[in-house]
Amino acid sequence: VGGAGYIGSVLCRKLLNKNYSVKIVDKILYDKKVINHFKKNKNFSFVKADICDLNTQINVIKDIDAVVFLAEIVGDPACNARPEDALKTNYLSIASMAQLCSHLGISKFIYTSSCSVYGLDKKNKLLTEKSDLNPISHYARMKIMSEKALLANKNDIFKPTIFRLGTVFGPSLRNRFDLVVNTMAKNAYYEKKINLHGGEQWRPNIHVEDVADGIITSIKLSQQKVGSKIFNLSSDKSNYKIKEIAFEAKKIFKKSKINIQKSMVDARNYRVSSKKYFLSSGFIAKKSINQAYKNFEKLFRSSKSFNPNKKIFTNI
Protein backbone atom coordinates (compact mmCIF):
# COMPACT_ATOMS: atom_id res chain seq x y z
CA VAL A 1 0.00 0.00 0.00
CA GLY A 2 1.60 3.26 -1.14
CA GLY A 3 4.02 1.22 -3.24
CA ALA A 4 4.67 4.01 -5.78
CA GLY A 5 6.05 6.30 -3.08
CA TYR A 6 9.50 7.11 -1.74
CA ILE A 7 9.99 3.89 0.28
CA GLY A 8 7.47 1.76 -1.60
CA SER A 9 9.09 2.08 -5.03
CA VAL A 10 12.48 0.96 -3.66
CA LEU A 11 10.85 -1.92 -1.76
CA CYS A 12 8.87 -3.00 -4.83
CA ARG A 13 12.01 -3.08 -7.01
CA LYS A 14 13.88 -5.18 -4.45
CA LEU A 15 10.98 -7.63 -3.99
CA LEU A 16 10.56 -8.12 -7.74
CA ASN A 17 14.30 -8.67 -8.10
CA LYS A 18 13.95 -11.44 -5.50
CA ASN A 19 11.10 -12.99 -7.55
CA TYR A 20 8.25 -12.08 -5.19
CA SER A 21 4.81 -11.42 -6.62
CA VAL A 22 3.99 -7.79 -5.81
CA LYS A 23 0.75 -5.86 -5.98
CA ILE A 24 0.89 -2.08 -5.52
CA VAL A 25 -2.15 -0.12 -4.41
CA ASP A 26 -1.55 3.61 -4.83
CA LYS A 27 -3.54 6.61 -5.99
CA ILE A 28 -0.37 8.21 -7.43
CA LEU A 29 -0.43 11.61 -5.79
CA TYR A 30 3.09 12.42 -6.92
CA ASP A 31 5.25 10.87 -9.66
CA LYS A 32 3.12 9.00 -12.23
CA LYS A 33 6.16 7.59 -14.04
CA VAL A 34 7.31 5.40 -11.14
CA ILE A 35 5.02 2.53 -12.14
CA ASN A 36 6.72 2.33 -15.54
CA HIS A 37 9.76 0.77 -13.84
CA PHE A 38 7.71 -2.35 -13.03
CA LYS A 39 5.03 -2.73 -15.72
CA LYS A 40 6.88 -5.31 -17.81
CA ASN A 41 7.51 -7.65 -14.87
CA LYS A 42 5.16 -10.66 -14.98
CA ASN A 43 5.10 -10.78 -11.16
CA PHE A 44 3.82 -7.20 -10.85
CA SER A 45 0.27 -5.87 -10.69
CA PHE A 46 -0.99 -2.37 -10.02
CA VAL A 47 -4.27 -1.03 -8.69
CA LYS A 48 -4.74 2.72 -8.93
CA ALA A 49 -7.09 3.38 -6.04
CA ASP A 50 -7.50 5.06 -2.66
CA ILE A 51 -6.88 2.62 0.18
CA CYS A 52 -9.24 4.67 2.36
CA ASP A 53 -12.12 3.21 0.33
CA LEU A 54 -13.45 0.05 1.98
CA ASN A 55 -14.39 -1.53 -1.35
CA THR A 56 -10.80 -1.04 -2.50
CA GLN A 57 -9.50 -2.77 0.62
CA ILE A 58 -11.80 -5.77 0.11
CA ASN A 59 -10.96 -6.08 -3.60
CA VAL A 60 -7.17 -5.80 -3.35
CA ILE A 61 -6.70 -8.19 -0.43
CA LYS A 62 -7.59 -11.26 -2.49
CA ASP A 63 -4.75 -13.79 -2.90
CA ILE A 64 -2.44 -11.77 -0.63
CA ASP A 65 -0.34 -13.31 2.14
CA ALA A 66 1.53 -10.20 3.36
CA VAL A 67 0.66 -6.51 3.55
CA VAL A 68 3.16 -3.67 3.82
CA PHE A 69 1.34 -0.44 4.69
CA LEU A 70 3.30 2.64 3.57
CA ALA A 71 0.58 5.09 2.50
CA GLU A 72 0.30 8.25 4.54
CA ILE A 73 0.09 12.01 4.52
CA VAL A 74 3.48 12.98 5.91
CA GLY A 75 4.33 15.66 8.45
CA ASP A 76 2.42 18.32 10.33
CA PRO A 77 2.18 20.93 7.53
CA ALA A 78 0.43 18.46 5.24
CA CYS A 79 -1.69 16.98 8.06
CA ASN A 80 -2.81 20.44 9.15
CA ALA A 81 -3.60 21.47 5.58
CA ARG A 82 -5.75 18.37 4.99
CA PRO A 83 -6.80 17.11 8.45
CA GLU A 84 -9.72 14.99 7.24
CA ASP A 85 -7.59 13.25 4.60
CA ALA A 86 -4.80 12.78 7.14
CA LEU A 87 -7.18 11.13 9.60
CA LYS A 88 -8.57 8.81 6.90
CA THR A 89 -5.21 7.83 5.42
CA ASN A 90 -2.98 7.83 8.50
CA TYR A 91 -5.37 6.18 10.92
CA LEU A 92 -8.84 5.04 9.81
CA SER A 93 -7.65 3.14 6.71
CA ILE A 94 -5.01 1.33 8.77
CA ALA A 95 -7.50 0.40 11.48
CA SER A 96 -10.02 -0.97 8.97
CA MET A 97 -7.33 -2.78 6.97
CA ALA A 98 -6.08 -4.41 10.16
CA GLN A 99 -9.57 -5.65 11.01
CA LEU A 100 -10.00 -7.01 7.49
CA CYS A 101 -6.66 -8.85 7.54
CA SER A 102 -7.37 -10.17 11.01
CA HIS A 103 -10.75 -11.49 9.84
CA LEU A 104 -9.24 -13.12 6.75
CA GLY A 105 -6.34 -14.69 8.66
CA ILE A 106 -3.57 -12.77 6.90
CA SER A 107 -0.75 -13.02 9.39
CA LYS A 108 1.91 -10.69 7.97
CA PHE A 109 1.06 -7.00 8.27
CA ILE A 110 4.02 -4.61 8.32
CA TYR A 111 3.42 -0.99 9.24
CA THR A 112 5.90 1.87 9.16
CA SER A 113 5.45 4.12 12.16
CA SER A 114 7.97 6.81 13.08
CA CYS A 115 10.54 7.61 15.74
CA SER A 116 8.84 11.00 15.91
CA VAL A 117 6.56 9.35 18.51
CA TYR A 118 9.43 9.97 20.98
CA GLY A 119 9.15 13.70 20.23
CA LEU A 120 11.30 15.52 22.74
CA ASP A 121 13.85 13.86 25.01
CA LYS A 122 15.71 16.50 26.98
CA LYS A 123 18.11 13.99 28.54
CA ASN A 124 19.44 12.75 25.17
CA LYS A 125 19.21 9.13 26.26
CA LEU A 126 19.45 6.30 23.74
CA LEU A 127 15.76 5.47 23.45
CA THR A 128 14.36 1.96 23.11
CA GLU A 129 10.92 0.67 22.24
CA LYS A 130 10.12 0.73 25.99
CA SER A 131 10.96 4.43 26.37
CA ASP A 132 8.21 6.94 27.11
CA LEU A 133 6.41 8.43 24.14
CA ASN A 134 6.29 12.21 23.96
CA PRO A 135 4.76 13.23 20.62
CA ILE A 136 4.78 16.95 19.88
CA SER A 137 2.97 16.83 16.53
CA HIS A 138 -0.41 15.76 15.21
CA TYR A 139 1.39 13.47 12.76
CA ALA A 140 3.21 11.64 15.58
CA ARG A 141 0.03 11.32 17.65
CA MET A 142 -1.73 9.62 14.72
CA LYS A 143 1.20 7.22 14.44
CA ILE A 144 0.65 6.18 18.05
CA MET A 145 -3.09 5.78 17.42
CA SER A 146 -2.34 3.52 14.45
CA GLU A 147 0.13 1.41 16.43
CA LYS A 148 -2.52 0.85 19.11
CA ALA A 149 -5.20 0.03 16.51
CA LEU A 150 -2.97 -2.61 14.93
CA LEU A 151 -2.01 -4.29 18.18
CA ALA A 152 -5.64 -4.21 19.36
CA ASN A 153 -6.51 -6.53 16.45
CA LYS A 154 -3.75 -9.07 17.04
CA ASN A 155 -4.75 -12.69 17.55
CA ASP A 156 -3.26 -16.17 17.12
CA ILE A 157 -2.94 -15.60 13.36
CA PHE A 158 -2.85 -11.85 12.73
CA LYS A 159 0.38 -10.57 14.25
CA PRO A 160 1.41 -7.16 12.87
CA THR A 161 4.99 -5.91 12.84
CA ILE A 162 5.52 -2.21 13.52
CA PHE A 163 8.68 -0.35 12.54
CA ARG A 164 9.39 3.06 14.05
CA LEU A 165 11.55 4.54 11.32
CA GLY A 166 14.31 7.05 11.81
CA THR A 167 14.40 9.95 9.36
CA VAL A 168 14.75 8.29 5.97
CA PHE A 169 17.29 9.53 3.43
CA GLY A 170 18.86 8.69 0.09
CA PRO A 171 17.87 8.53 -3.60
CA SER A 172 14.76 6.62 -4.66
CA LEU A 173 12.80 5.82 -7.82
CA ARG A 174 10.43 8.49 -6.47
CA ASN A 175 12.70 11.06 -4.88
CA ARG A 176 11.75 13.35 -2.00
CA PHE A 177 13.55 16.56 -1.15
CA ASP A 178 11.57 17.45 1.97
CA LEU A 179 13.64 15.13 4.22
CA VAL A 180 16.60 16.43 6.21
CA VAL A 181 19.53 14.79 4.42
CA ASN A 182 17.93 15.05 0.98
CA THR A 183 17.02 18.71 1.48
CA MET A 184 20.57 19.54 2.56
CA ALA A 185 21.95 17.77 -0.50
CA LYS A 186 19.66 19.74 -2.81
CA ASN A 187 20.38 23.11 -1.18
CA ALA A 188 24.11 22.50 -0.92
CA TYR A 189 24.40 21.67 -4.62
CA TYR A 190 21.98 24.14 -6.20
CA GLU A 191 22.06 27.06 -3.76
CA LYS A 192 25.53 26.55 -2.26
CA LYS A 193 24.07 26.96 1.24
CA ILE A 194 22.54 24.91 4.04
CA ASN A 195 20.16 26.63 6.46
CA LEU A 196 19.79 25.10 9.92
CA HIS A 197 17.11 25.80 12.51
CA GLY A 198 19.16 25.33 15.67
CA GLY A 199 21.29 22.34 14.79
CA GLU A 200 21.85 20.80 18.23
CA GLN A 201 18.83 18.49 17.95
CA TRP A 202 19.47 14.76 17.68
CA ARG A 203 17.90 12.58 14.96
CA PRO A 204 18.15 8.90 14.09
CA ASN A 205 18.53 8.31 10.36
CA ILE A 206 18.25 5.39 7.93
CA HIS A 207 18.83 4.99 4.21
CA VAL A 208 15.72 4.18 2.14
CA GLU A 209 17.46 1.06 0.79
CA ASP A 210 18.04 -0.14 4.36
CA VAL A 211 14.36 0.45 5.20
CA ALA A 212 13.37 -1.77 2.29
CA ASP A 213 15.89 -4.45 3.29
CA GLY A 214 14.68 -4.32 6.89
CA ILE A 215 11.09 -4.86 5.74
CA ILE A 216 12.06 -7.76 3.46
CA THR A 217 13.93 -9.34 6.37
CA SER A 218 10.76 -9.20 8.47
CA ILE A 219 8.71 -10.77 5.65
CA LYS A 220 11.08 -13.75 5.66
CA LEU A 221 11.20 -14.18 9.44
CA SER A 222 8.83 -16.28 11.51
CA GLN A 223 6.01 -14.59 13.40
CA GLN A 224 7.58 -15.85 16.61
CA LYS A 225 10.44 -13.42 16.01
CA VAL A 226 8.62 -10.35 14.65
CA GLY A 227 4.87 -10.84 15.12
CA SER A 228 2.92 -8.41 17.34
CA LYS A 229 6.10 -6.44 18.06
CA ILE A 230 7.36 -2.89 17.72
CA PHE A 231 10.91 -2.23 16.52
CA ASN A 232 12.95 0.92 16.08
CA LEU A 233 14.46 0.80 12.60
CA SER A 234 17.40 3.13 12.03
CA SER A 235 21.16 2.99 11.77
CA ASP A 236 22.77 3.08 15.20
CA LYS A 237 25.75 4.74 13.49
CA SER A 238 23.46 7.47 12.15
CA ASN A 239 22.24 9.13 15.33
CA TYR A 240 23.42 12.62 14.39
CA LYS A 241 22.89 16.15 15.52
CA ILE A 242 21.32 18.16 12.70
CA LYS A 243 24.45 20.31 12.40
CA GLU A 244 26.57 17.15 12.04
CA ILE A 245 24.41 16.12 9.08
CA ALA A 246 25.17 19.53 7.55
CA PHE A 247 28.91 19.11 8.12
CA GLU A 248 28.73 15.73 6.36
CA ALA A 249 27.11 17.50 3.40
CA LYS A 250 29.89 20.06 3.27
CA LYS A 251 32.45 17.26 2.88
CA ILE A 252 30.87 16.41 -0.48
CA PHE A 253 29.46 19.80 -1.52
CA LYS A 254 32.59 21.75 -0.65
CA LYS A 255 31.43 25.13 -2.00
CA SER A 256 28.36 25.23 0.25
CA LYS A 257 28.07 27.40 3.36
CA ILE A 258 26.25 26.50 6.58
CA ASN A 259 23.91 29.13 8.05
CA ILE A 260 22.65 28.45 11.58
CA GLN A 261 19.45 30.26 12.60
CA LYS A 262 19.05 29.99 16.35
CA SER A 263 15.82 31.99 16.40
CA MET A 264 13.89 29.11 14.80
CA VAL A 265 14.53 25.80 16.54
CA ASP A 266 12.78 22.51 15.75
CA ALA A 267 11.74 21.15 19.16
CA ARG A 268 12.05 17.47 18.21
CA ASN A 269 15.10 15.82 19.78
CA TYR A 270 15.69 12.08 20.13
CA ARG A 271 18.33 9.35 19.73
CA VAL A 272 17.24 5.74 19.31
CA SER A 273 18.64 2.23 19.45
CA SER A 274 17.70 -0.47 16.92
CA LYS A 275 19.31 -3.24 18.96
CA LYS A 276 16.00 -5.04 19.54
CA TYR A 277 15.48 -5.68 15.82
CA PHE A 278 19.09 -6.76 15.38
CA LEU A 279 18.70 -9.33 18.18
CA SER A 280 15.49 -10.65 16.60
CA SER A 281 16.64 -10.69 12.99
CA GLY A 282 20.39 -10.08 12.67
CA PHE A 283 19.58 -7.07 10.47
CA ILE A 284 21.91 -4.06 10.49
CA ALA A 285 21.40 -0.88 8.46
CA LYS A 286 24.55 -0.44 6.37
CA LYS A 287 24.32 2.66 4.17
CA SER A 288 25.77 5.97 5.40
CA ILE A 289 24.71 9.59 5.04
CA ASN A 290 28.02 10.33 3.36
CA GLN A 291 27.30 7.66 0.76
CA ALA A 292 23.86 9.19 0.07
CA TYR A 293 25.40 12.64 -0.44
CA LYS A 294 27.80 11.17 -3.00
CA ASN A 295 24.88 9.51 -4.81
CA PHE A 296 22.88 12.74 -4.84
CA GLU A 297 25.88 14.69 -6.14
CA LYS A 298 26.19 12.20 -8.98
CA LEU A 299 22.44 12.44 -9.73
CA PHE A 300 22.46 16.25 -9.81
CA ARG A 301 25.59 16.40 -11.93
CA SER A 302 24.38 13.81 -14.45
CA SER A 303 21.35 15.82 -15.58
CA LYS A 304 21.36 19.58 -16.10
CA SER A 305 17.60 19.51 -16.68
CA PHE A 306 16.84 17.81 -13.35
CA ASN A 307 14.70 20.09 -11.16
CA PRO A 308 14.46 18.95 -7.51
CA ASN A 309 12.02 21.78 -6.73
CA LYS A 310 9.18 20.20 -8.69
CA LYS A 311 6.04 19.45 -6.66
CA ILE A 312 6.37 15.72 -7.34
CA PHE A 313 9.48 15.68 -5.15
CA THR A 314 7.83 16.86 -1.93
CA ASN A 315 5.07 15.49 0.29
CA ILE A 316 4.48 18.86 1.98
Side-chain angles (χ1 to χ4, degrees):
V1 182
Y6 178 60
I7 297 172
S9 59
V10 174
L11 175 62
C12 183
R13 180 182 60 190
K14 284 178 175 285
L15 286 168
L16 289 170
N17 286 342
K18 294 177 182 293
N19 209 33
Y20 283 84
S21 293
V22 180
K23 179 188 289 185
I24 281 180
V25 185
D26 200 302
K27 60 181 181 180
I28 314 291
L29 277 178
Y30 305 105
D31 192 346
K32 297 178 181 179
K33 296 179 181 179
V34 168
I35 296 299
N36 295 338
H37 291 281
F38 315 123
K39 277 185 175 179
K40 294 181 181 180
N41 193 303
K42 61 180 175 56
N43 290 330
F44 174 73
S45 61
F46 171 58
V47 178
K48 185 179 180 181
D50 188 344
I51 200 64
C52 298
D53 183 87
L54 294 179
N55 289 321
T56 295
Q57 291 189 7
I58 292 168
N59 290 332
V60 300
I61 206 67
K62 296 171 185 175
D63 303 317
I64 293 296
D65 56 13
V67 174
V68 182
F69 202 103
L70 297 165
E72 64 178 1
I73 293 175
V74 181
D76 259 19
C79 289
N80 291 337
R82 302 172 68 179
E84 294 86 1
D85 286 346
L87 184 64
K88 284 192 295 183
T89 306
N90 295 19
Y91 172 64
L92 295 177
S93 63
I94 296 163
S96 60
M97 194 81 172
Q99 291 178 345
L100 180 61
C101 290
S102 178
H103 175 71
L104 294 175
I106 297 172
S107 62
K108 287 274 184 175
F109 191 107
I110 298 160
Y111 171 63
T112 51
S113 185
S114 168
C115 285
S116 64
V117 297
Y118 299 118
L120 173 61
D121 177 50
K122 294 181 179 179
K123 296 181 180 179
N124 290 329
K125 295 181 295 184
L126 198 60
L127 303 175
T128 71
E129 294 80 358
K130 293 182 179 180
S131 298
D132 291 339
L133 305 184
N134 187 24
I136 58 175
S137 68
H138 181 47
Y139 171 72
R141 285 189 288 272
M142 281 194 290
K143 284 294 189 186
I144 295 172
M145 289 165 57
S146 295
E147 290 182 7
K148 290 180 178 179
L150 281 170
L151 295 176
N153 282 283
K154 68 179 181 180
N155 55 38
D156 290 341
I157 297 175
F158 179 72
K159 297 180 179 181
T161 302
I162 296 168
F163 287 117
R164 290 176 179 163
L165 302 184
T167 302
V168 188
F169 65 88
S172 166
L173 294 176
R174 186 255 146 169
N175 278 303
R176 280 181 61 188
F177 293 103
D178 54 353
L179 298 161
V180 175
V181 171
N182 302 5
T183 300
M184 288 187 184
K186 179 194 75 168
N187 292 343
Y189 183 84
Y190 290 98
E191 300 176 20
K192 303 295 186 290
K193 63 181 180 182
I194 303 169
N195 295 322
L196 302 182
H197 301 308
E200 295 295 327
Q201 312 96 309
W202 284 94
R203 287 288 190 288
N205 300 273
I206 183 167
H207 197 289
V208 63
E209 301 266 355
D210 283 324
V211 174
D213 289 337
I215 290 171
I216 292 171
T217 298
S218 72
I219 291 173
K220 293 178 179 178
L221 288 171
S222 68
Q223 288 294 65
Q224 185 178 358
K225 290 186 176 181
V226 297
S228 302
K229 293 178 182 178
I230 297 174
F231 300 101
N232 291 334
L233 187 60
S234 68
S235 170
D236 283 355
K237 294 182 180 179
S238 291
N239 278 301
Y240 280 105
K241 288 184 177 180
I242 297 294
K243 68 179 184 181
E244 293 172 341
I245 298 174
F247 293 141
E248 285 294 312
K250 191 166 175 58
K251 291 178 183 178
I252 306 302
F253 305 100
K254 299 184 187 302
K255 294 181 180 180
S256 61
K257 293 184 178 180
I258 298 173
N259 302 316
I260 298 177
Q261 302 172 10
K262 294 191 176 181
S263 59
M264 297 175 62
V265 177
D266 187 336
R268 291 173 299 165
N269 182 77
Y270 43 89
R271 300 164 60 229
V272 308
S273 167
S274 296
K275 185 177 180 179
K276 179 181 175 182
Y277 191 50
F278 169 72
L279 293 176
S280 295
S281 67
F283 176 80
I284 299 176
K286 298 175 181 177
K287 293 185 178 292
S288 68
I289 287 175
N290 183 274
Q291 190 174 352
Y293 281 138
K294 290 178 180 177
N295 292 339
F296 275 125
E297 199 269 346
K298 184 178 180 180
L299 170 66
F300 299 151
R301 194 178 295 279
S302 66
S303 176
K304 292 183 179 179
S305 62
F306 183 77
N307 181 7
N309 293 315
K310 284 184 177 180
K311 287 185 178 180
I312 61 171
F313 296 134
T314 177
N315 285 15
I316 297 176

